[in-house]
Amino acid sequence: METKWWKSSVVYQVYPQSFKDSNNDGIGDFQGIIEKLPYLKELGINVIWLNPIFESPLVDNGYDISDYTKTLAQYGNIEDFKELLAEAHILGIKIILDLVVNHTSDQHEWFKQSKISKDNPYADFYIWKDPLKDGSAPTNWGSTFGDPAWEYVESRKQYYLHCFAKEQPDLNWENPAVRQHIFDMMKDWFDLGVDGFRMDVISLISKRPGYPEDPSLAYTKSYYAGASNGPRVHEFLHEMYQKVLSKYDVLTVGETPNTNSEQAKLYTHPEREELNMVFHFDHMHLDYGKYGKFSDIRFKMSDLRDTLTEWQYQLKDGWNSLYLNNHDQPRMVTRFGDEENYRVESSKMLGTLLHMMKGTPYVFQGEEIGMKNVPFPSLDDYKDIETRYFIQEMRKNGENEEYIKKVAYLKSRDNARTPMPWNGEENTGFSEANPWISYSPDNKKINVESALSDKNSVFYHYKKLIALRKNYEVIIEGEYRLVNETDSDIYSYIREYNNEKLIVICSFSKYKVNYEVPEEFNLDNFKLLLSNYDDSSNSLSKIITLRPYEALIYHGV
Ligand code: TEU
Ligand code: CA
């Protein structure tokens, strides 16, 4: 059977607001992305995932959509978007969009109508519920960005549900008319030439009947018990598949908070006809503390290894999506590597670890040049709704400012959202105007221009990783198997396909550490494919001494 294109692809995530500003209003736009397509072509990726590009009041940076048929004016009009799509296609790059249909903006026409009365055509488009006898909210659920998950509306004398901000009311998927509207909208974008969707919090679309009370009101988990993986979620996605997805050759990746690997099998098993793959959060939760993600706990390598391995083992019929950071997460090198002493080495090591696994790798803009988290001068400089809520919450609880600053530096979503540093100049070559969000002064050193002029840069390592995928079938198809599973510093696995083997060896230590090649390998048959040091041994020896964050890939039979 021919391999599906999305299995052999590498996806590059573009955060449109912060990628490239073409008209100097401080906000990234479609024309800016068009300008930088040759850069992405040079890197070798073949799919772009664009974060939401639709009309939005931007309460949650576009995850609050007020019109699915229009692009956000700041990014350009539909003609600009079509041009982007056409130019990308000419270069052999596909484009997938962000489908945000668990909720809309409260400025969406559907919601404006819905809240007027209980008997209009849109009355049941959202989730409305009567108050309890004492007038209070129907359940104790909290929303992800603070506040209760229910908001009262006088005109209906009812509460509506919002898992996220109150400006993001949840759609009522039980209503067939809602589903039909969404399916029609998806078709329109596919007919325009879009190549797939990343589906925002798709595991939340089916709510549990009766809206049972959530026993755990822990931060960011408050809506989970009630709303994740609800009774009809698979039915809804299968219907979407039958009515829409099956008619196009597209990539689908569901963002599925609170979904374990058992549940993920249901979403991704090809015979079930739902999604190609999902983004899980298990490895994003390894360093959570009492405020959820806003903690200064450092992950343990063995936990990361256990988690990623579990997913590799579990999704044999389904397919994995591979990521270490995105627009909701801090920079990978700050979180999992050593940004201070081994930024370049550890960025390359993490990239190696991920790209050699089975699944489709996702590169978040700036990851390919080893960007790290951003030292915002003051807590007031954070723009993100989630960060602002947690700052407020931690202050309320009497946490000291230094601690709040520290965890915001470590975990804020804004770390990922600063302007792409195209060069070392003022405003990073992103714009001639002041960008909508401040940028990292690190741009003097960490920028695309200098990455391109240094053959040892993180960029060229990524380029090689991406190219390898095109030349070695074992990287796409090979089975994953963990080896040396008790090592405390080294994460090592093998991939096997027919007779071919890859052995991937990644050190998470800043010291020299020894690695012993498993017995089963015939050392003479292997040669080095790639390393993040330029003088690693070409041949495999029984004992290898790895330097700080060294990463090695050997190939053989
Ligand atoms: O994120 C969903 C989600 O689970 C996040 O709330 C995540 O838990 C949090 O950011 C981690 O700190 C998606 C989008 O990716 C995010 O940008 C949106 O804010 C959210 O949905 C609502 O649409
Ligand atoms: Ca602009």
Side-chain angles (χ1 to χ4, degrees), residues 21-25 27-29 74:
D21 175 19
S22 73
N23 61 348
N24 298 313
D25 62 356
I27 303 167
D29 45 53
Q74 286 105 301

Side-chain angles (χ1 to χ4, degrees), residues 16 77 153 167 266 279 343 363 371:
N77 59 28
V153 173
E167 295 87 353
L266 302 178
F279 288 124
R343 182 184 65 85
V363 180
M371 280 180 83

Side-chain angles (χ1 to χ4, degrees), residues 60 63 100 103 144-145 164 168 198 200-201 223-224 255 257 281 293 327-329 386 413 417:
D60 183 18
Y63 283 92
V100 189
H103 46 268
T144 306
F145 303 141
F164 296 89
Q168 294 167 295
R198 174 267 188 190
D200 192 57
V201 289
Y223 65 87
Y224 280 3
E255 189 212 26
F281 284 71
K293 78 187 284 195
H327 67 291
D328 289 334
Q329 301 294 337
E386 182 188 67
R413 308 199 293 185
R417 300 175 177 189

